[in-house]
Amino acid sequence: MTRPSSSHLVDPQGRRIVYLRLSLTDRCNFSCSYCSPGLAASQGDALDRPAVARLVRIFARMGIRRVRLTGGEPTLRRDLVDVVSDIHATPGIEEVALTTNGHRLEELALPLRRAGLLRLNVSLDTFDEGRLAQIAGRGADVERIRSGIAAAAKAGFPSLKVNTVVLRGVNDGELGDLARFAWSHGAIARYIELMPFGGGDPVSVAEMARLLGEQGVRLEPDETRGWGPARHMRGVSFEGGAEVRGLLGFIGAITENFCGDCNRVRVSAAGALRACLGGRDEVSLAPLLGTGTDEEVEDAIRLGLSRKADRHRMEEDSFDSMVHIGG
Ligand code: SAM
Ligand code: SF4
């Protein structure tokens, strides 16, 4: 007989966990300096489509309501549209989201939307091809990412965001242009403080706001809250003599620690539960998804969660590579 599972996941600090970030692969067609320094070799995709579907079903019974697929580059999974469709059909799951580098988006945006994907974040750090090559390697192509974002706008995602990791002396002069570009596609422009997974010189959220002002974006307060830690501002700017407006999100993982409100856990591409991005504790779930019972998987999830620290220690530590964990 199946043990009835509690529909609540609560960590040792009493934070309710409703959000799963699931890495589908640690493979990537880019090699961003801040994410996969040294091109760490892929360890392979531990969870196939049935294992992902089973894991999400178990998490949903335990109270997870939102799933974001990430990686590595999740669009390298040939079965991505089917994986989204399975998760969308899982009882209890209210929203499925995806984070991508945008390279395969032109062909995938519509099939993903039709499969039930609701929220889409696309990473774009610069409009300059040379700078993109410097950040992400030779495979990255600005025009493909732009076309992918245009296709996503056309496909009608209720939530579309353009993610930028801000690097001092690299793309910190493009924040205003990135905002105006995102708004022209109905997207939110999001600026992310660099976390210590690789190289690069960080820019704080406070400084990003100042730079946006210098680059023609006036900021006004806004109360919008999403699933995650981003805080928002409304922006006003001018393009071709006309006033343009839109939302901006800021993720200040280092200078504006948001761990008190944390509502998430991660599963890495190797199929291990990571309760905190900025921690090292892991509990392997992949073998149990092959041969274990649902109860054994649940027990492993609770064990992983029982070790979730009160806050990350990213300002004191550095980590190997985000590409293996899932950002
Ligand atoms: N490949 C996809 C992409 O690039 O969007 C999904 C995976 S990537 C790890 C998820 C997000 O993490 C991206 O927006 C990326 O820019 C961000 N990211 C990676 N390394 C980071 C770091 N060191 N600090 C802050 N954000 C980082
Ligand atoms: Fe790949 Fe995304 Fe990491 Fe860049 S940030 S190396 S695109 S996983």
Side-chain angles (χ1 to χ4, degrees):
M1 202 177 76
T2 313
R3 183 178 69 193
S5 61
S6 141
S7 60
H8 282 67
L9 263 180
V10 180
D11 81 357
Q13 276 64 242
R15 294 171 296 195
R16 187 150 172 210
I17 307 299
V18 292
Y19 177 16
L20 170 65
R21 294 182 68 107
L22 177 54
S23 173
L24 289 179
T25 183
D26 61 1
R27 288 176 291 130
C28 192
N29 47 345
F30 291 10
S31 52
C32 301
S33 51
Y34 47 68
C35 173
S36 56
L39 290 171
S42 164
Q43 292 161 5
D45 309 343
L47 305 181
D48 61 9
R49 178 181 167 194
V52 170
R54 181 176 178 211
L55 182 61
V56 170
R57 222 166 32 241
I58 293 171
F59 267 115
R61 283 211 312 266
M62 299 174 86
I64 291 291
R65 296 288 165 260
R66 301 154 174 177
V67 179
R68 177 171 295 278
L69 299 172
T70 179
E73 179 46 41
T75 62
L76 296 185
R77 284 277 297 241
R78 296 273 158 216
D79 54 3
L80 178 65
V81 173
D82 294 327
V83 167
V84 167
S85 173
D86 292 344
I87 299 175
H88 176 61
T90 304
I93 297 298
E94 294 163 6
E95 296 187 348
V96 194
L98 178 81
T99 303
T100 173
N101 64 26
H103 244 222
R104 291 200 59 223
L105 205 50
E106 196 172 359
E107 61 201 272
L108 281 174
L110 198 56
L112 285 169
R113 179 69 194 101
R114 288 188 174 143
L117 191 76
L118 211 64
R119 295 171 174 264
L120 184 63
N121 292 1
V122 188
S123 300
L124 175 62
D125 290 340
T126 175
F127 295 113
D128 182 277
E129 289 287 1
R131 223 170 267 154
L132 187 66
Q134 180 193 339
I135 297 170
R138 286 186 183 281
D141 177 339
V142 173
E143 281 318 309
R144 275 185 72 157
I145 304 172
R146 288 176 79 122
S147 308
I149 293 170
K154 224 166 137 190
F157 288 94
S159 165
L160 179 63
K161 294 175 187 156
V162 176
N163 277 354
T164 301
V165 177
V166 184
L167 301 163
R168 186 180 305 283
V170 182
N171 62 353
D172 51 356
E174 295 187 69
L175 307 192
D177 289 341
L178 283 157
R180 289 178 286 267
F181 169 78
W183 300 341
S184 73
H185 289 91
I188 298 180
R190 291 218 307 184
Y191 305 96
I192 306 174
E193 269 181 14
L194 181 69
M195 293 180 254
F197 289 88
D201 195 356
V203 175
S204 69
V205 161
E207 206 178 337
M208 293 174 199
R210 184 181 59 73
L211 289 167
L212 277 160
E214 289 173 9
Q215 293 166 27
V217 180
R218 195 177 77 237
L219 299 178
E220 297 171 353
D222 188 274
E223 296 303 314
T224 306
R225 282 308 299 260
W227 302 354
R231 77 184 167 79
H232 292 88
M233 303 283 276
R234 258 194 315 272
V236 185
S237 187
F238 285 90
E239 183 126 67
E243 189 179 274
V244 286
R245 292 172 169 269
L247 266 187
L248 306 115
F250 297 90
I251 303 185
I254 307 297
T255 63
E256 299 186 348
N257 186 289
F258 40 66
C259 298
D261 292 332
C262 188
N263 59 0
R264 61 186 62 187
V265 288
R266 290 180 152 77
V267 170
S268 70
L273 184 91
R274 274 235 182 188
C276 178
L277 177 63
R280 293 182 198 281
D281 258 325
E282 276 193 353
V283 172
S284 179
L285 305 177
L288 291 173
L289 287 163
T291 55
T293 62
D294 284 5
E295 286 75 14
E296 285 169 327
V297 178
E298 278 183 22
D299 288 344
I301 291 171
R302 289 192 198 285
L303 173 66
L305 191 62
S306 73
R307 299 174 182 164
K308 187 168 166 75
D310 58 338
R311 47 163 302 206
H312 72 67
R313 300 279 181 255
M314 286 198 253
E315 53 292 81
E316 300 149 26
D317 211 345
S318 66
F319 298 85
D320 298 340
S321 73
M322 192 181 286
V323 78
H324 287 312
I325 305 167

